[in-house]
Amino acid sequence: MSKTLAGISPLLLLAGLASPGVLEHAAQELPIVVEGDHFRIHCHFDSQRAADEALASVEALFPAVDELYGETSREVRSVHLYRNAADYQAAEKKLTNGQFARNLAFAHYGSLSAHVALQPPVADAVLERYGLPQLTRELLAHEAAHLARYDSFRNFRSHPRWFVDGAADWLDDRALQSLGVDTSPSVDPE
């Protein structure tokens, strides 16, 4: 074998034999990051569809956020989507040391970020065929609504609990309705 070929990694040789689709898949960096006008999704597993649907779910909060809170300039905020409870809980532990571990979704005002575990757990094939479960989409919009409230009010920490979650519920419902998702009580998993 020549010196040139001897210095080539066996992995590189195999990569040269792989089909283009395999190379693209292998090169995908995690998290997958997609950004809209108001939010940046960090999808911590390999699903472009999940990342895109997560972004659509949180971006759909507007214009309802502007209607409820008034139009104001807001910074692009990060929303993290995790494939399972264990990945979510590992990230949550770093931020709140287990305070929201059981919730599987929370908005963190210290880092101005939101974190959501995929719920209910579904197989990769189901996720790719049908997309994000409705519950996950609602939780993404709900937690992102908290981030919008943080940006809209300096005194957000003093808001009463009924307003905090009531406003987020109202906003996540409007967001999904605008996307054509049926959020009626007979269908809504929340």
Side-chain angles (χ1 to χ4, degrees), residues 27-45:
Q28 178 66 58
E29 290 185 35
L30 294 179
I32 297 171
V33 179
V34 291
E35 187 170 315
D37 293 334
H38 303 97
F39 298 102
R40 179 180 308 110
I41 296 294
H42 300 261
C43 185
H44 293 269
F45 56 95

Side-chain angles (χ1 to χ4, degrees), residues 107-184:
H108 187 250
Y109 61 80
S111 63
L112 295 173
S113 62
H115 303 264
V116 176
L118 181 76
Q119 298 174 60
V122 295
D124 290 341
V126 172
L127 183 62
E128 289 308 312
R129 182 169 183 179
Y130 298 105
L132 287 177
Q134 182 173 338
L135 179 58
T136 300
R137 295 181 79 182
E138 285 190 41
L139 290 168
L140 287 161
H142 184 95
E143 300 307 331
H146 288 309
L147 297 179
R149 186 177 55 83
Y150 299 164
D151 278 343
S152 299
F153 302 98
R154 288 185 184 176
N155 66 339
F156 67 85
R157 290 185 191 163
S158 68
H159 290 164
R161 194 95 202 127
W162 62 264
F163 178 72
V164 168
D165 281 318
D169 284 343
W170 186 83
L171 288 166
D172 77 50
D173 194 54
R174 295 308 172 281
L176 292 187
Q177 285 176 2
S178 75
L179 295 172
V181 176
D182 186 355
T183 61
S184 64

Side-chain angles (χ1 to χ4, degrees), residues 63-76:
V65 166
D66 290 339
E67 179 185 344
L68 186 61
Y69 298 149
E71 290 186 39
T72 184
S73 67
R74 294 178 177 86
E75 295 199 27
V76 174

